[in-house]
Amino acid sequence: MSLLITATNVTELGNGMWLFDMPPHQVRHFGRPSSATGPRSVLLLNDCEFDPEQQHLRFKIDEVTALNVGTTSQAVGIDAQLQDEAFLPSKPATHAVSAGPGDRNFLQLVRSELSADLARAAEELLAGVRVKSPGDLKRGQSRNFSETPDNFWYVIVQPRINELSITVRGPVDHFKPMSELVIKDDRGNTRFKVRSEADVPAALKLIFHAIRKC
């Protein structure tokens, strides 16, 4: 029988994404992670159950893949089944978030031009946005994509430096109290970078804190 782990005081970041405490030495029990960057660990959960009232997340120890081991005790858990349903059209599901043509174009670009780790981060970022904000990305003249119908966030794929540059609507002061990433002014809005999967939860917080028009 597989050992069942229960994480407590869990924060739900989005549908199928959670933040909880797990020190790096425990993360390494799930095998050798594919990367070791940033402050947060990232775990892919193949079989999990979340109790929002108790704020408990339960998962089996042999159903976990460690994607990243961070430098702090914060860990992000991602429901692997939900991620598959959201981005693999050949597997229809009742809770799937369908990807529009612009989203698909973005995913194709990051998978072909970024490192495997950053491409996964880009996939997780878009999945996190879509479970709370249905819409579609629109590609610009180059490797830039704007959100439609409300352009509250904007992303540039930067393969030469292997980064995502993201701009969110609102001045820097609007984001300072809650930002965990370095933020800079971008002509009255706010810009930051995503360099790894560990940056995704903090990036989603900034995106969801952006000023909306619709």
Side-chain angles (χ1 to χ4, degrees), residues 193-210:
K193 301 282 190 177
V194 170
R195 297 183 173 95
S196 72
E197 290 176 275
D199 292 338
V200 171
L204 287 172
K205 287 183 180 180
L206 289 168
I207 291 171
F208 292 138
H209 196 58

Side-chain angles (χ1 to χ4, degrees), residues 145 151-156 164-170 175 184-193 207 210:
F145 294 81
N151 188 21
F152 64 98
W153 74 291
Y154 176 95
V155 57
I156 303 174
L164 298 175
S165 176
I166 298 174
T167 297
V168 285
R169 184 187 291 139
F175 298 95
K184 297 181 179 180
D185 176 72
D186 186 2
R187 294 176 292 182
N189 293 307
T190 301
R191 177 168 45 88
F192 60 92
K193 301 282 190 177
I207 291 171

Side-chain angles (χ1 to χ4, degrees), residues 107-122:
L107 293 171
Q108 290 168 356
L109 182 67
V110 298
R111 289 165 181 164
S112 65
E113 298 203 9
L114 298 178
S115 69
D117 289 347
L118 191 58
R120 283 196 298 268

